[in-house]
Structure formats: structure tokens, C-alpha cells
Amino acid sequence: MKNILLNSFLLLLSFCFTYPIQAHIGSSGVVFEGNAGKYALQVYVQPPDVIPGTAKVTVIADANDIQKVNIKPIYYWFGDEGSPRSDEAFPVANQAGRYEGQIWLMNSGAASVQVEIIGSRGKGSLIVPLVAIATAKRAMSPSIGWILAGLGLLLVGLLTTIIGASTSDSLQTVGEPISGTTMKKRIRGSVIGASFCGVLLFVGNNWWNGLTDDYQRNLYKPYTANTKVIEENGVSVLKLQIDSNSVQRRWLSYAIPDHGKLMHLFLIRQGTMDVFAHLHPSRKDTLNFEAQLPDLPAGKYLLYADVMRYQGAQYTIADTVEINKQISNGSNSSTLKDPYDAYAITNPLNTKEASIKSDLITICGTPGVKTKLQDGSSIVWEEDPNKPLMMGKVYDLKFSIISPDGTKAKLEPYLGMMGHAAIVKDDGSVYIHLHPTGTVSSTSVSVMQKRLDETSKKPNILPTTAFKDSVDKIMTKLSIMTEAERDNFLMPNMLHTNDKAEHHNTVNFPYVFPQAGKYRIWLQVKRNGKILTGTFDAKVM
Ligand SMILES: [Cu+2]
């Protein structure tokens, strides 16, 4: 009874608790680095914990010739035309170039923050995609529940009395004694009133339960999968089947490639974190993907796989997979099925030496310490080793690569980016796939930009049933391009970072560590056609 009364009251309190996510687990903030006209900006969006709610937006500009910074939310579904007007972000005292403001996120779905900047170098704007989706369900405190249930009961009592009295006492002449007929009428009226309330409560209860079921269904959880390793013609293959209960199958039919691949999959040996692989499984059908494994040692592995939907929203699939014995598909990475797959072995967490013998072994670096890469070149994390890394602070993680002869290494694009990084917390509770643009994929940016160029309130190009085939068409198109063509096709938004990397042999990854603890960072770059993986340990306070 308490629940039914409560639910009826909750009819009025249909809150929607959501917050934005990207392809990640455990990092809710969105960090983005890019150019707005002639200004280089770093934007950090801290999502609200409820929607409707406000997101805190921090804009860090490279200069102090800025007059005004405007921010506004734009949803994929409503486009620029259907968006509210901008709010101003205000300068932060004593921190040149830093602006802070707030925007309202009113709905769930694929969204973005548009940052417009006005200064002596003219006007510029950039778009930071994010996804607003429910992630938590709030419980009501029992005391409020009982108070509301009590009030509900009182209302039911009052309504019953009012209906009863209106059909009996109210028809009585003043001063006249209450007759038996009036009593009967009062009872009949009260029964009708009580039945009316009962029907109202029943309908209300059903309506509310429907709402909470819907809410529960749409709550964000990483997709889950069933992954196993099997032998096929003497080759060990990873088979991943996305759990169709964890995802709306229709969503996956509208997948689009990100950095030229439909899926980016990372394997990390659980606990020791000494083995890392970055693979690109091929799609067998909507739910099934498979990849030939590199020569990974036995163990239990954490698995994170990123997929992207047509509106540029990224989703992560999380699983673990058991590898029973050392894989021997051939140690030469050129025998891997996908030339963009790579793996690396390093020392286990908390020890300085590797437990496995392999010429692929590199020792984990730390801030400020030079460490070797697989081809004899070396890498340095340009961070002051004496300054502790703090959680919640925006960092531009910067890595420099030096050729074996001591000169600056010339980096080549790898999957349309000058660098890729995966960051995982030692207990697996935080995972992120980072790029020089930050936590946001450049594919999401171009998808959202294309949407902004449309002046309609509804997206012009809505997916049709033919869309499923177009995934394969795009993949075929990408596979027949030359590497240079493909990088050109995938990198239209990366030109400034490209310039930076070519001239300075460095890659930067803007990121905010969401919690204190131990993290491992795997950083991947390409030099002389070879994918190199540098591993670093980070202690975050
Ligand atoms: Cu990848």
C-alpha cells in the first residue's frame, strides 16, 4: 500500500538523473583540445549529476587577447536551430586565459558544447561532443517516503469523505436530524469515493512503474559481451559476442567506423598489467566480432572495446577473457591479421623487472624518465617527477620520442592520429582511450559538425534500413584506400596536432584523472612504419 501511494505521488516527481559519458569507464569528465578559429583551446566539461542539470565548462585559451567566451549546448537531435541561446563564460581571477561557465543539459542523448570565442584575432568556435545518458537511479529516503505515503493516505481519506458528504449531508436541510436514508447515501457515496481513489491509485501505480522500467532500461551501463579464445586451423582467435540483452541490437546496426575501425579492442592482463594488446576485430554480424590474437602469454585479461554509433556517440563494451596457454600465432607482428594491431609486454605492476623473456619487452617509464621503445628509440613523459599528479586537474600529458641516434623522431600517423593512448587504473575501474584531441574522438567532432551545418531542427540524414549495408560499404572503401589516402580521409580535424607532432616529435593527450590511485598508460605512436608502444606508470593523489 505504501508503495502504491508513494508511486502515485511520484507521478509528480518524474526526475531524470543522468550524466554525460564518452567511450570510457569511470571517467565522466570530457576533455577536448582543438582550434577555434585562430585560438588554440582546451575545454573541460564536468557533467552534472542530474539532468536537467548544469555542466561546468572550463575553457583554457592560449592567449590573453580574448574579449568574450560564449558557450551553449547543442543536441544532435535538435541541431543548432533547436538550441538555446549562448551563456557567457567568465574569466577566472589571476588565471590568464582561463574562463568558466555553466550550461544546462535538459535532455538525454548525443549532445555537444559549442564554444565561441571573440578576441583581437577575430571570432572562432569549436564543438565538444558529449553524450548525456542516465547512469544512476536515486533512491528516496525512507522518511520522505513515509511522509508522502501519509499525505497520500490523508488525501484518499479526504476525497472519500468529500464524495460521501457531497451525496448525503450536503443535501440535508440545516438543523434537520440525520435520517437513515442520509446515512445510507453517505456510505454509498464513500464507497464510490474509495473505489474512485482505488482506480486512480491503480492507474497511477502502473504508469509510474512503466516510467521506472523505461528509465532502468535506458540507464547507462557498459555493454557486456561473451568473449572466448578458440583454435581455428591452428590459429588462436578471439571471438567476441556482444550480449544482446545489454544493448539494443538496432543501435549496433548503426555503427560507424572511428579512426577507420568499427571496433578498437584493448586487452590488459589483469592484476599484473604487464601485457597489453590493441586489436581491431572484424565484424561478422551485428553482434559478433573476431580477431586473430598476437602471441600473448596465458592469463586472465581485462577487455575493453569501443564502438561508435551514427550520431558520433561512443560506447564501451567491457568483459574479461581467459587465455589458457601461451599463444603462438607467430611472434612477428606482420603475421597479425590486421596490420594496425599491436601488443607490448612490460614489467608487472610494482616490480622493476619483466617476468617474461621476449625481445618485445620494454620497462615501464615514469614522469621525466627516458625509457626504451621496441625499435631502439626512446620515449620521455615530459612531466615534472617531483610534482605529484592530482586527480580532477586538467593535464596535457606530453610525450617526446627520440630516435636511436638521439635526434627527434619523425612520427607517422597511426590510424589517422599522431598517437593513441589507453589509460587503465590498476583495479580496472577506470579505462579510457585517448587521442591528442582528448577524450573525444575526432569522428564524433566531424559527425556533430556535419549536423551543425544542417539548418534543420531534425537531422536530415536519418538512418534507414539500408544503413546496415553502408557500414560494410564504408569499411570496404577504407580497406581499398592506400595508407596515405586513409590517413588523409581520417585526419581532417587533426592538422594542427599533425603539425605539432611533425615539428616537435611530441604527442599530447589532454586528460583529467578521475580518482586517486595507480594507473598504467600505454602510449602508441608509429615510426618507420612500425607501431611502438610505450608504457608508463602514474601515481595520482
Ligand atoms: Cu584502435
Side-chain angles (χ1 to χ4, degrees), residues 261 263-266 278-280 414-415 420 433:
K261 300 288 177 188
M263 180 180 277
H264 295 258
L265 184 144
F266 295 93
H278 177 180
L279 311 174
H280 303 96
Y414 166 39
L415 282 169
H420 294 250
H433 180 184

Side-chain angles (χ1 to χ4, degrees), residues 43-45 55-59 71 99-103 113 115:
V43 183
Y44 176 39
V45 185
K56 189 176 166 195
V57 182
T58 307
V59 179
I71 47 177
Y99 292 76
E100 282 179 4
Q102 289 189 332
I103 51 156
V113 181
V115 178

Side-chain angles (χ1 to χ4, degrees), residues 335-349:
T335 63
L336 293 179
K337 211 174 181 183
D338 188 308
Y340 296 95
D341 287 0
Y343 76 110
I345 299 172
T346 183
N347 51 305
L349 270 180

Side-chain angles (χ1 to χ4, degrees), residues 86-331:
S86 302
D87 284 310
E88 195 174 345
F90 296 99
V92 177
N94 304 322
Q95 291 189 57
R98 192 185 173 103
Y99 292 76
E100 282 179 4
Q102 289 189 332
I103 51 156
W104 275 94
L105 290 178
M106 300 301 291
N107 304 80
S108 302
S112 61
V113 181
Q114 188 182 52
V115 178
E116 188 192 56
I117 191 152
I118 301 158
S120 60
R121 281 171 283 167
K123 209 172 174 182
S125 77
L126 66 71
I127 192 92
V128 184
L130 48 86
V131 184
I133 190 165
T135 60
K137 197 178 162 187
R138 296 281 166 90
M140 180 178 281
S141 79
S143 51
I144 293 185
W146 281 112
I147 291 170
L148 290 178
L151 287 172
L153 205 58
L154 185 71
L155 277 186
V156 168
L158 286 175
L159 198 60
T160 309
T161 315
I162 290 170
I163 295 174
S166 66
T167 55
S168 56
D169 305 42
S170 64
L171 306 173
Q172 188 99 3
T173 318
V174 182
E176 215 173 87
I178 293 169
S179 67
T181 335
T182 310
M183 269 313 275
K184 267 188 208 153
K185 277 185 180 165
R186 188 193 283 172
I187 292 167
R188 202 175 54 208
S190 301
V191 169
I192 292 171
S195 317
F196 176 68
C197 289
V199 170
L200 215 61
L201 289 176
F202 179 76
V203 172
N205 187 52
N206 279 352
W207 181 77
W208 180 259
N209 284 343
L211 272 191
T212 52
D213 285 354
D214 257 7
Y215 183 84
Q216 193 70 36
R217 237 192 332 273
N218 294 323
L219 211 60
Y220 175 75
K221 319 159 202 69
Y223 295 164
T224 52
N226 194 340
T227 318
K228 50 185 190 246
V229 175
I230 59 151
E231 290 264 329
E232 253 179 21
N233 310 320
V235 175
S236 298
V237 180
L238 180 100
K239 298 237 176 197
L240 179 139
Q241 182 176 44
I242 299 170
D243 180 1
S244 58
N245 292 321
S246 74
V247 54
Q248 294 185 29
R249 196 183 275 250
R250 164 173 71 86
W251 286 12
L252 289 168
S253 299
Y254 300 138
I256 55 169
D258 181 25
H259 307 297
K261 300 288 177 188
L262 271 181
M263 180 180 277
H264 295 258
L265 184 144
F266 295 93
L267 288 173
I268 291 129
R269 186 146 75 160
Q270 199 174 28
T272 49
M273 300 183 96
D274 54 345
V275 187
F276 165 88
H278 177 180
L279 311 174
H280 303 96
S282 48
R283 190 176 88 132
K284 294 292 141 197
D285 58 49
T286 315
L287 295 177
N288 288 285
F289 289 78
E290 64 176 57
Q292 186 178 313
L293 282 171
D295 288 355
L296 303 177
K300 190 173 185 181
Y301 285 76
L302 299 170
L303 179 154
Y304 304 100
D306 292 339
V307 283
M308 184 173 275
R309 286 180 62 200
Y310 73 92
Q311 349 82 315
Q314 285 178 304
Y315 288 84
T316 298
I317 300 156
D319 196 17
T320 54
V321 61
E322 197 80 52
I323 296 179
N324 293 324
K325 58 174 178 54
Q326 168 74 46
I327 309 265
S328 50
N329 282 345
S331 60

